[in-house]
């Protein structure tokens, strides 16, 4: 090994702490990129494989009752590869030891063989006997939540009649990766289950012998789905067809899409910021580190090494540090990405997980990391290497300090010496001081950007569950019911308030833009289910026209006062021109709202409701639940309190876990920056400080001079970091917006406070580490050798 | 082939620092024969280091011309100057300028690895009496020892020129004598043209030629007919 290479290794050993700090900053940047994209990619690959293996369909439609022969006509639609018909019914469940009523979706199994489309994965147990009236398969989340295995029993109210059922096996379905019960905001395995039942048994219970009410269609590649959807709608219309839709509007699929989009934007938004910040920090740190090598660079040039040879020598050092960072970042990103994939994999119901590694992402991350280091090195090296060796070798001329402006005014006359020195030092190197400050501020900003989400999510939940949807429970009826059901609901035990609602699937369009969504009718001056404005205050719905969230309005480019087209996808399926009379705030889903009377007028089927929102006295809870289970007209009950709790769990799991990871990485970055700033300052000023010690300054005084400067820079950096942090939070928020839910941008005092506290802790720890070095400053060695 | 090592013509050097111009050299005309040991004397700030650095290709002149043998240094670019330093010149600095992370042997190897016909690093160190200190780091060596490593590093490539800027400036007299002995030994054994800057007037007695600088000009030049041995010099 050449002496020069040996120098590289020895320098690396000497600078290990600083080198590691730089490497960790870089690693944090690399890891964020690898982890986010890794998880996002693994999940979409997993989903694709799952869909492929279990033949998830392309187009879905429901009907009231269609004879089996209609299936052949559907199969004859050009571009249709396969058709699978079945019965799909919703029913209340009665589960032993559980007072809250639960809801089940019952799907019919084909008379022979497996479903042609939307197959299921049998996790354990066996298929029900095709002739049995009691045997069912249960989905995994429901079974797990209740501790049910093959042999477990429960009851369901099928078409008004209670039937005891026995579970013969546990399954997972590609159409219920995200298994959301009716009226629920979040999946709840305890209160919602999916069951597969032999066709004969289900058809018998619902009087659907020889008929189906649900169909899935596989479309040949290269066929436009829209044409197939229109054809399906036309064929099913006489049989009470409810608008066909494609995967994009399939509930479970759409939710995963939204999560994936969110995960993707998080992994395309945050990591580049982290990586850019890491690159900047590595850049300035390395530049200063190399500036310290000035004399050795001069020497090497003096004894005949070319500029290139010297440059390459330092480049090797930098590359080694950067490589360590990249490798750590790869490892950490891979590991965290797997963890995150598992987390999401658990949350969505996948029977298996495929972990993918995209080499291109690893390469991009490595490239960005190395480039950051190299650019920093090139800047610094070229600056020093340009100097004639004679100049480089002699220490830089003593800097020409100036009296401070304030000093000239006589203001600082009595300021302590250390403060004066620190201030002069800052004003002497304003660029260096600014860059250091910016570096410190950016590390505070990353902390803010990583930590703000919790408060924002809290506000979102607060506004939704206590400002807008304030009901205790939502009862959904099995079918459209006359308004007098409201009166009946009022008679239920413990019920304090009742408000009707009506929801229909619609296609909302303006110009060439359209969006499949639903239109919710609420009473004009509702007290339970309300809409809120942008200040989160409840507002009353306009009695004419429709209201919608800004997100939905943006999607179809509608403004207040515009006429939009509402195509109702159920019942008479009429199309209306309706005016947008209000733009409102909502954080969940994509819904349009209208006065229930207005909606009923559009629907032209009288004063009807789909269900009611109720407030009830918690003391009568058990009585109420027991009663609800006996009412055949109620298909489902959603409980707001439980939704809130579950939603918090989910958010904690998804967003906050991710945010914790980012916070951790932000701490690493902050530590790297602060530690390197002080450490390099110590090297730059070692002689000066040692001389002061020789002159009789105490260790504490000397530390104070060095750390005083850092303190001053931190004081400037903290407010700047807040501002940058708010900007970063804004960017992160953009990545969190989805049709699923929208997180408002809230950066509150707590967040700034926590971020600052973490930063200050990190700064103090770094300062203590460096202080320790100052205390052990070898005076003789510093003054004797010139390193 | 002439027998002149260096020749300068009205050499000037102006340092521009901010709004002040420092005239370090104000027209130096000098001829140094091959194989001689010359001493540059002069008060601090008289321009000795500046002259030496220009001769060694470490710095460039503001005006005037410099030749080494028949190469004109003032006409060369950075790359050629690097080659020149690498192939012909050995340097010894007042503050040794060793690489702290390399041992004595490795500090010498730093030069021998890029030289055309170098000695073995151990041989070079033996010549300055450091055969027992091969694997010590600079921090483990005394000032005199560090300076002798620097000399070993300078001579290991058998340079035609040896330029020393106050090599004994940081050393006590005993150690200084050992360093001077090493320099003289090299000068005699290899016929290396040697230029030594010093504040120490006694050293002039061991040199062939003594040049006095003041305020950027040569004020006197003296050739010794009788040279003393370093051990005969009183400090
Ligand atoms: N890099 C430099 N920048 C500005 N002035 C310099 C520089 N190097 C030397 N000088 C000035 O040039 C003059 C000659 O310096 P130098 O050759 O080092 O003197 P000597 O070696 O004789 O003490 C001095 O006045 C010194 O201050
Ligand atoms: Mg000098």
């Amino acid at each position: 090994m050449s002496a020069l290479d040996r120098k590289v290794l020895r320098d690396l050993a000497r600078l290990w702490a600083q080198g590691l700090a730089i490497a960790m900053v870089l690693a944090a940047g690399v890891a964020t990129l690898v982890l986010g994209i890794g998880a996002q990619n693994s999940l979409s690959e997993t989903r694709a494989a799952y869909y492929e293996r279990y033949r998830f369909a392309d187009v879905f439609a429901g009907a009231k009752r269609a004879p089996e022969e209609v299936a052949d006509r559907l199969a004859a639609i050009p571009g249709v590869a396969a058709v699978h018909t079945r019965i799909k019914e919703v029913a209340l469940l009665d589960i032993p030891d559980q007072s809250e009523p639960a809801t089940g979706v019952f799907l019919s199994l084909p008379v022979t063989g497996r479903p042609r489309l939307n197959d299921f994965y049998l996790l354990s147990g066996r298929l029900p006997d095709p002739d049995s009236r009691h045997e069912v398969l249960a989905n995994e989340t429901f079974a797990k939540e209740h501790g049910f295995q093959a042999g477990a029993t429960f009851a369901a109210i099928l078409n008004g009649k209670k039937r005891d059922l026995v579970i013969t096996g546990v399954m997972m379905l590609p159409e219920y990766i995200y298994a959301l019960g009716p009226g629920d905001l979040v999946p709840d395995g305890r209160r919602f289950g999916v069951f597969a039942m032999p066709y004969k048994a289900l058809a018998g219970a619902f009087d659907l012998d020889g008929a189906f009410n649900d169909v899935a269609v596989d479309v040949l590649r290269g066929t436009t789905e829209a044409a197939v959807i229109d054809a399906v709608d036309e064929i099913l219309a006489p049989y009470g067809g409810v608008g066909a839709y494609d995967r994009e509007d399939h509930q479970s699929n759409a939710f995963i899409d939204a999560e994936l989009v969110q995960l993707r934007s998080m992994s395309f938004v945050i990591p580049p910021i982290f990586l850019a910040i890491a690159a900047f920090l590595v850049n300035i740190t390395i530049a200063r580190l190399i500036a310290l090598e000035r004399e050795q660079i001069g020497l090497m040039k003096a004894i005949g090494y070319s500029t290139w040879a010297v440059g390459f020598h330092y480049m090797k050092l930098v590359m080694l540090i950067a490589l360590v960072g990249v490798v750590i970042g790869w490892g950490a990103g891979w590991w965290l990405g797997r963890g995150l994939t598992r987390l999401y994999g658990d949350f969505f119901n996948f029977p298996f997980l495929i972990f993918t590694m995209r080499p291109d992402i690893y390469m991009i991350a490595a490239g960005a990391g190395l480039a950051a280091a190299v650019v920093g090195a090139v800047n610094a090296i070229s600056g020093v290497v340009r100097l004639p060796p004679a100049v480089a070798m002699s220490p830089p001329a003593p800097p020409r300090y100036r009296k401070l402006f304030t000093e000239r005014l006589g203001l600082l006359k009595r300021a302590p010496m250390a403060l004066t020195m620190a201030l002069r030092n800052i004003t002497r190197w304003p660029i260096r001081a600014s860059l250091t400050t910016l570096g410190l501020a950016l590390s505070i900003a990353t902390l803010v950007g990583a930590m703000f989400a919790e408060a924002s999510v809290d506000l979102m939940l607060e506004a939704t569950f206590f400002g807008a949807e304030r009901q205790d429970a939502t009862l959904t009826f099995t079918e459209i019911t006359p308004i007098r059901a409201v009166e009946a609901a009022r008679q239920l035990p413990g019920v304090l308030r009742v408000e009707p609602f009506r929801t229909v699937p619609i296609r909302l369009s303006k110009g060439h833009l359209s969006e499949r969504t639903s239109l919710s009718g609420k009473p004009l001056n509702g007290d339970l289910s309300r809409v809120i404005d942008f200040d989160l205050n409840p507002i009353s719905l306009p009695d004419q026209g429709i209201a919608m969230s800004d997100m939905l309005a943006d999607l179809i480019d509608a403004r207040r006062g515009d006429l939009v087209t509402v195509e109702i996808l159920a019942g008479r399926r009429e199309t209306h021109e309706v005016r947008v009379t209000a733009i409102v705030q909502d954080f969940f889903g994509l819904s349009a709202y209208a006065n229930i009377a207005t909606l009923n007028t559009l629907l032209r089927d009288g004063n009807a409701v789909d269900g009611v929102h109720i407030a009830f006295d918690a003391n009568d809870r058990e009585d109420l639940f027991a009663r609800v289970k006996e009412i055949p007209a109620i298909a489902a009950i959603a409980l707001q309190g439980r939704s809130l709790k579950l939603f918090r769990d989910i958010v904690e799991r998804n967003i906050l876990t991710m945010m914790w990871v980012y916070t951790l990485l932000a701490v690493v970055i902050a530590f790297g920056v602060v530690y390197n700033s002080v450490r390099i300052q110590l090297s730059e000023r070692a002689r000066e400080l040692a001389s002061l010690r020789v002159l009789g300054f105490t260790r504490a005084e000397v530390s104070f001079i060095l750390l005083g400067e850092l303190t001053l820079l931190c004081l400037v950096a903290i407010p700047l970091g807040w501002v940058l942090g708010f900007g970063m939070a804004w960017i992160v928020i953009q990545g969190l917006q989805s049709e699923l839910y929208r997180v408002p941008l809230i950066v509150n005092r707590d967040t700034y406070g926590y971020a600052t506290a973490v930063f200050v802790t990190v700064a103090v720890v770094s300062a203590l580490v460096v202080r320790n070095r100052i205390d052990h400053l070898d005076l003789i060695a510093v003054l004797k050798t010139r390193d | 082939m002439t027998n002149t090592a260096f020749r300068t013509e009205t050499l000037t050097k102006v340092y521009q620092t901010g709004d002040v111009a420092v005239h370090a050299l104000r027209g130096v005309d000098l001829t140094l024969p091959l194989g001689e040991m010359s001493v540059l004397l002069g008060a601090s700030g008289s321009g000795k280091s500046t002259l030496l650095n220009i001769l060694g290709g470490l710095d460039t002149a503001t005006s005037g011309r410099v030749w080494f043998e028949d190469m004109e240094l003032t006409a060369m670019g950075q790359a050629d100057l690097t080659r020149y330093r690498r192939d012909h010149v050995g340097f010894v600095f007042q503050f040794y300028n060793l690489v702290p992370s390399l041992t004595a042997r490795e500090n010498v190897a730093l030069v021998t690895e890029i030289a055309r016909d170098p000695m073995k690093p151990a041989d070079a160190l033996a010549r300055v009496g450091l055969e027992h200190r091969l694997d010590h780091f600079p921090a483990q060596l005394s000032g005199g020892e560090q300076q002798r490593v620097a000399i070993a590093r300078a001579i290991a490539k058998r340079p035609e020129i040896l330029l020393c800027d106050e090599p004994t400036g940081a050393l006590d007299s005993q150690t200084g004598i050992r360093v001077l002995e090493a320099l003289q030994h090299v000068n005699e054994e290899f016929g290396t043209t040697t230029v030594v800057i010093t504040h120490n007037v006694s050293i002039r007695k061991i040199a062939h030629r003594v040049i006095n600088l003041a305020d950027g000009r040569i004020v006197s030049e003296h050739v010794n007919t009788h040279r003393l041995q370093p051990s005969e010099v009183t400090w």
Side-chain angles (χ1 to χ4, degrees), chain B residues 179-197:
Chain B
V179 167
L180 288 178
E181 274 174 345
L183 289 178
Q184 199 195 32
H185 180 73
V186 170
N187 172 250
E188 271 165 13
E189 186 178 351
F190 302 108
T192 311
T193 308
T194 307
V195 185
V196 183
I197 293 180

Side-chain angles (χ1 to χ4, degrees), chain B residues 48-49 165-166:
Chain B
K48 308 179 297 289
S49 296
D165 193 342
E166 302 193 34

Side-chain angles (χ1 to χ4, degrees), chain A residues 1-4 6-7 10-11 296 299 301-306 388-391 393 400 784 786-787, chain B residues 53 58-59 82 85-86 91 93 95 97 99-102 106 109-111 113-114 137 141 146 153 157:
Chain A
M1 191 191 298
S2 75
L4 219 49
R6 215 162 279 167
K7 175 169 160 6
R10 298 251 170 81
D11 285 348
Q296 294 196 34
L299 170 78
K301 287 189 67 184
I303 59 181
Y305 282 92
S306 69
V391 181
M393 258 191 313
R400 299 197 310 160
K784 179 168 123 186
R786 318 185 67 191
D787 119 59
Chain B
N53 288 341
L58 291 182
D59 211 343
T82 300
R85 291 197 298 270
R86 176 190 293 207
F91 286 103
F93 306 101
F95 292 106
N97 287 75
V99 175
S101 55
L102 296 181
E106 288 160 353
L110 203 56
V111 168
E113 278 169 7
I114 55 168
F137 284 95
L141 298 172
Q146 287 189 54
R153 185 176 65 187
K157 63 175 167 190

